[in-house]
Amino acid sequence: SGRPMGARPGDPRRGRLDLIATLRAAAPWQRIRHRPGSASGLAIRLDDVRITHFRQRTETTTIFAVDASGSSALERLAEAKGAVELLLAEAYTRRDKVALVAFRGRGADLILAPTRSLVRAKRGLASLPGGGGTPLAAGIDAAGEVALGVRRGGGTPVVVMLTDGRANVARSGIAGRERAGEDSLTAARLFRAAGLRAILIDTAPRPQDSARRLAAAMGARYLPLPHADAGAMSAAIRSATE
């Protein structure tokens, strides 16, 4: 079962015979295999046999980690919300799940646990508050925990982080850009070491070096929001799960 991904040599007792591919594999050898006086008909050997290769599709959970801090201007947060809503609707039509993590102030909150409910997802997004500090390390940690839970359950997690990458609240909850920046990069490296997939959407009005560095540390694909409409983000999410 699953999505057909072409044919390959194999035992038809352990897979589904691809008759057309088998005939194509055998056809070039017929003159050599048929000797004078031998029976007519197609001579097929074991190494000609092809079986259909299927790829199992696991359930994808897209985890949106949204920077709701004061450094993300309200109009940028509104723009990000609009793009996320379109992506939520597309995930719903694919029967995939979505989750929502928001980080602001001194920590991160799971606004929406993985769900297929489009109504709940939109409600959680609409009520997303803005303002306060940027506890970026806490946001990465929280998104990573949700992703690991999804993976342990047999699903495929993809984290989509929307941030300008400028942290100013450390893991301890204490304000300070230097410590907060170090903590966010440490969290990003741990995220990458866990083998998790991510896309980082830079929500700054102009692309930021801080966001690029964070994406590199996470092993995430980097997309600046001015060029990352819902279609571009959706394509990036699909490519991350293939």
Side-chain angles (χ1 to χ4, degrees):
S1 62
R3 180 182 177 185
M5 297 296 293
R8 64 183 181 187
D11 187 341
R13 295 171 296 182
R14 298 177 182 175
R16 185 181 300 177
L17 175 68
D18 188 324
L19 181 58
I20 301 300
T22 299
L23 295 176
R24 284 175 178 166
W29 306 100
Q30 296 309 298
R31 285 191 178 183
I32 298 174
R33 292 176 184 176
H34 282 294
R35 298 177 180 176
S38 63
S40 61
L42 196 63
I44 298 177
R45 296 181 180 175
L46 185 60
D47 55 2
D48 298 326
V49 176
R50 300 291 186 271
I51 60 173
T52 303
H53 172 55
F54 294 93
R55 185 178 69 184
Q56 298 292 335
R57 185 187 183 281
T58 60
E59 180 181 74
T60 299
T61 298
T62 304
I63 303 156
F64 295 99
V66 181
D67 181 349
S69 67
S71 64
S72 292
L74 292 178
E75 62 270 18
R76 303 297 294 169
L77 183 58
E79 188 176 348
K81 284 182 179 181
V84 171
E85 279 202 16
L86 291 175
L87 289 171
L88 289 173
E90 186 168 306
Y92 176 77
T93 61
R94 293 196 305 265
R95 305 304 297 165
D96 288 335
K97 290 184 177 181
V98 294
L100 179 62
V101 170
F103 52 99
R104 62 184 289 271
R106 294 188 176 184
D109 297 302
L110 178 61
I111 304 297
L112 183 70
T115 181
R116 286 194 183 94
S117 172
L118 186 59
V119 173
R120 286 179 58 201
K122 285 188 174 182
R123 188 182 298 131
L125 194 63
S127 62
L128 187 63
T134 310
L136 191 48
I140 297 171
D141 289 342
E145 288 177 10
V146 176
L148 289 172
V150 169
R151 192 166 68 183
R152 284 192 295 268
T156 300
V158 177
V159 172
V160 180
M161 179 160 284
L162 295 98
T163 181
D164 59 10
R166 293 179 291 181
N168 56 23
V169 176
R171 266 199 177 111
S172 62
I174 298 174
R177 289 192 180 278
E178 184 176 354
R179 179 74 260 176
E182 292 173 359
D183 283 357
S184 65
L185 289 175
T186 298
R189 295 185 188 107
L190 290 173
F191 182 98
R192 183 173 189 169
L196 298 170
R197 296 180 179 181
I199 300 160
L200 190 144
I201 311 297
D202 187 348
T203 59
R206 293 186 178 88
Q208 298 288 309
D209 288 339
S210 55
R212 286 196 184 96
R213 286 195 299 271
L214 186 68
M218 291 179 69
R221 179 176 177 180
Y222 172 83
L223 288 175
L225 188 60
H227 309 293
D229 57 15
M233 284 194 279
S234 177
I237 292 170
R238 285 197 299 271
S239 68
T241 60
E242 291 178 355

